[in-house]
Amino acid sequence: SKIEWITEEGHEGCGFYPEGFFDAWGRKSYDAMQVRIIGPKIGLAKGMILRKRGITRIQLPESMRKAPVSTTCNESWAAVVIKNVYPSAENNQMGRFLDPEWDATKSWRDKDDRKPLSKMYQRMLIGYGVKESDVDWYAKRSRNPNKLRHAHLRGCTDPTGKLPENKVFITGYASSSDNRRELFGKVHKKVYLSRSPCLEPGDAKMVSVVGSKPKVMSTDDWN
């Protein structure tokens, strides 16, 4: 079998796939995918899968199982439906926008249908004590990319298992206070994250961003 179930270890809704697994389907340049996997011996699985070194099968935690295996069919096929790939075109443009050595395209900067700060996130910020007038001001201001201070990211688990607890790594570069090009985590040491949908108080929190290689992580994994 090319798919196996693995023990849940804090990576709810996120599994892994081997390097090169999807290369023949033109998915070589991506790091993660949002998928639906269907098969008689799989049932229905949905969530994210992240590229990981050193494995030979797609690995799925039980939290990705949304429907049980078939009781009438014993065939071993499985269909993988790729819903989205990451980094997406929007992710790449945002990365270029933040990176002092690159620039986002004019069409990205000028587009007038930019996804606004949704009402759900506005209510969340107000519920955490931000003034409603400030939230409204930012929601309107953020339609201009030069005033943008939020992004919609697709979170994945750490494939190395070496990131410190309650910390995240965000790819890309940003400009430091003295205009140097630095890893995002060296410039922005904390970010405010939330789940989507965000329903419970614990669905949003401030977390630290890793900006240098953790001591327990190998150089190969960091690179």
Side-chain angles (χ1 to χ4, degrees):
S1 172
K2 295 182 179 180
I3 301 174
E4 62 181 352
W5 296 96
I6 59 174
T7 303
E8 190 84 43
E9 294 182 348
H11 42 79
E12 181 181 351
C14 184
F16 307 101
Y17 68 92
E19 290 188 308
F21 194 91
F22 293 101
D23 286 5
W25 289 272
R27 298 294 188 264
K28 187 174 183 178
S29 61
Y30 298 108
D31 296 320
M33 303 176 188
Q34 185 181 23
V35 298
R36 308 289 185 262
I37 301 178
I38 306 164
K41 292 185 177 181
I42 297 294
L44 169 65
K46 61 182 292 190
M48 297 292 295
I49 54 175
L50 182 65
R51 180 161 51 87
K52 183 177 181 179
R53 298 189 307 162
I55 61 174
T56 58
R57 299 176 181 178
I58 292 177
Q59 298 180 337
L60 306 176
E62 283 293 332
S63 57
M64 289 183 67
R65 194 194 298 270
K66 305 303 179 183
V69 300
S70 174
T71 58
T72 60
C73 180
N74 196 38
E75 295 178 6
S76 59
W77 60 267
V80 179
V81 180
I82 300 174
K83 191 170 185 293
N84 290 297
V85 291
Y86 301 93
S88 64
E90 176 69 16
N91 294 154
N92 286 327
Q93 289 295 329
M94 178 63 75
R96 291 172 65 97
F97 173 69
L98 293 172
D99 192 329
E101 293 187 4
W102 290 86
D103 196 8
T105 61
K106 186 177 185 301
S107 60
W108 183 84
R109 286 177 171 274
D110 293 346
K111 70 178 182 178
D112 55 9
D113 60 344
R114 190 175 307 283
K115 191 173 183 179
L117 186 68
S118 73
K119 293 294 184 181
M120 177 184 69
Y121 296 125
Q122 293 183 45
R123 289 193 296 269
M124 173 193 70
L125 290 169
I126 293 169
Y128 274 89
V130 181
K131 290 182 180 179
E132 186 172 354
S133 58
D134 290 341
V135 173
D136 184 61
W137 171 81
Y138 174 71
K140 294 175 180 176
R141 171 186 169 94
S142 64
R143 289 181 177 273
N144 180 331
N146 291 314
K147 307 294 173 60
L148 195 62
R149 294 296 181 271
H150 76 277
H152 295 89
L153 306 177
R154 187 68 64 177
C156 293
T157 190
D158 167 27
T160 71
K162 302 300 183 182
L163 285 180
E165 188 174 356
N166 293 322
K167 292 190 177 184
V168 298
F169 176 76
I170 299 176
T171 58
Y173 294 85
S175 183
S176 65
S177 58
D178 55 356
N179 295 318
R180 289 185 301 164
R181 185 180 190 247
E182 298 279 10
L183 283 173
F184 183 93
K186 282 193 172 183
V187 178
H188 304 284
K189 299 185 182 302
K190 286 195 173 183
V191 292
Y192 186 65
L193 294 182
S194 78
R195 299 183 64 171
S196 181
C198 184
L199 304 173
E200 302 291 337
D203 287 346
K205 61 177 65 177
M206 290 287 294
V207 297
S208 298
V209 184
V210 173
S212 59
K213 184 182 77 67
K215 292 181 179 179
V216 297
M217 183 182 290
S218 70
T219 300
D220 283 347
D221 280 340
W222 177 250
N223 292 335

